[in-house]
Amino acid sequence: MHQKVIISSSQFAILVLLNTIGTTILIVPAGLASEAKQDAWIPAILGVGLGLVVISLYNSLGGMFPQMTLVEYCEKILGKWMGITVSIGFIFFSFIGATTLIWLIGNFLVTQIMPESPVITIHAFFVLIVIMGVRLGLEPIARSAEIFLPWVGIFFLLLVLLPISDSNLENIQPMFDSEVKPILRGALSFLSVATLPLIIFHMIVPNGQRSKDTNKAFYLGSLIGGVVLISITLLTLLVLGPGLTARNLYPSFALAKKVGIKGVVERIEVIMAILWFITIYYKTSIYCYASIKGLAQLLSLKDYRILSLPFGMILLAVSLIVYPDVVYEAEWDVKTWIPFTATFGIILPAFLYLVAVIKKRKKAKN
Amino acid sequence: MLKVLGVVVITLLIIWIEIPPMKKQNKKKEIWMFSIFQFIATALLSLVVLNVKIPSPLELIRIIYKPFSDVLFSLLS
């Protein structure tokens, strides 16, 4: 009932990579540094490690139903009504993900770069290009991601190499001084932003069947993304110090403002912003694609595209009211987002996997 | 009011793009689904541009998850 999505496994890996970096690169150093101070890089490494475990859960769950999307296998595992309820949950989850990302980009642009623009125009233009991508389909999104990947790589290298001379090892000393609980909190917040939302990638079935290559691509994308995030966290710590990193809303942007070669290369923070726009664009597109495709499959529509334009308008409307202010956002992102993503990113997939395994065993016995 | 007019113009534009091809292929169900979603979208966006206070969906999630989050963070602090 659905058209085949034809993307190669390397394109799949690139999309996973861009999704992992997405918002995380801009906000995660602050969260980690406020939890674990000078040891903020430890929860980042722990988070990447745990992330790979989570990905292995996704891969084994996806491997049981290699030809089905998330919405389809929910129905298959849990029966019609339970399956539909859980699917609506997943669709709601990716919708909320998309709206908060659009709010974040609007807030970032208005506070840091374009303070006089009305926020609705920024949101509207961003929603417009996201919906444009979703209407064109996943293949063009994946191909354009391939084109942008070298730029992301170059900008990232610039951002890593330029500030190295400004770094100060004293900023991460004393090492291993934190207790276990702050490290765990940090790792959890890292996971909740970087890895757990990747469950929505199960709305994509590359080439009509998940294969070993897609599984590998899933690991690879998330691992490379993790390495990028660890190095950015370490670097903001080394250059800005734990105090400034924790207090800054966008520490990696502050880092980019600070670095450069005097008189030759200066004010490269917009490079950071572009890097972030590219990655967040793909993250929002995948969220949007997942929720629109999920809705269409739930309503058994042949073509998900007819829902895309009204969906874009709803997205725009909700993105404008989603967070009342930055204080609410900071509190919500820690206190609610973590258990919210944990439900959809770990608990439900684990539950689905368990039920599927039990059902399979029962079938084998009979 | 000007903003609502803008929303209406965008809505008409979307209908003009989407409906004719569906009509041609006589897809009744699709037309219905599209219309329902478009109605919600237009109503919601009009309310938002008129600055009507609409509760954020995040508030609902926050209330649902408050007990879990309290337990989780008391365990980890």
Side-chain angles (χ1 to χ4, degrees), chain A residues 322-353:
Chain A
V322 72
Y323 293 118
D325 49 52
V326 182
V327 180
Y328 186 90
E329 185 230 336
E331 164 126 8
W332 195 88
D333 278 356
V334 176
K335 291 261 165 73
T336 316
W337 176 252
I338 292 177
F340 183 51
T341 33
T343 315
F344 291 101
I346 301 181
I347 299 171
L348 275 176
F351 174 70
L352 286 169
Y353 182 62

Side-chain angles (χ1 to χ4, degrees), chain A residues 81-110:
Chain A
W81 294 109
M82 271 294 278
I84 287 176
T85 317
V86 173
S87 301
I88 290 174
F90 275 113
I91 293 164
F92 180 66
F93 169 70
S94 47
F95 173 70
I96 290 295
T99 55
T100 51
L101 286 185
I102 294 164
W103 186 89
L104 265 177
I105 207 157
N107 186 54
F108 174 77
L109 275 171
V110 166

Side-chain angles (χ1 to χ4, degrees), chain A residues 64-65 77 351-361:
Chain A
M64 294 186 79
F65 307 95
I77 296 173
F351 174 70
L352 286 169
Y353 182 62
L354 213 69
V355 175
V357 168
I358 292 170
K359 269 197 167 168
K360 207 178 181 184
R361 284 223 181 121

Side-chain angles (χ1 to χ4, degrees), chain A residues 135 185 299 322 328 343, chain B residues 18 29 56 59 65 69 76:
Chain A
R135 271 178 85 79
R185 278 204 302 268
L299 301 167
V322 72
Y328 186 90
T343 315
Chain B
E18 291 286 13
K29 187 180 173 188
S56 160
E59 196 54 25
Y65 278 96
S69 133
L76 284 176

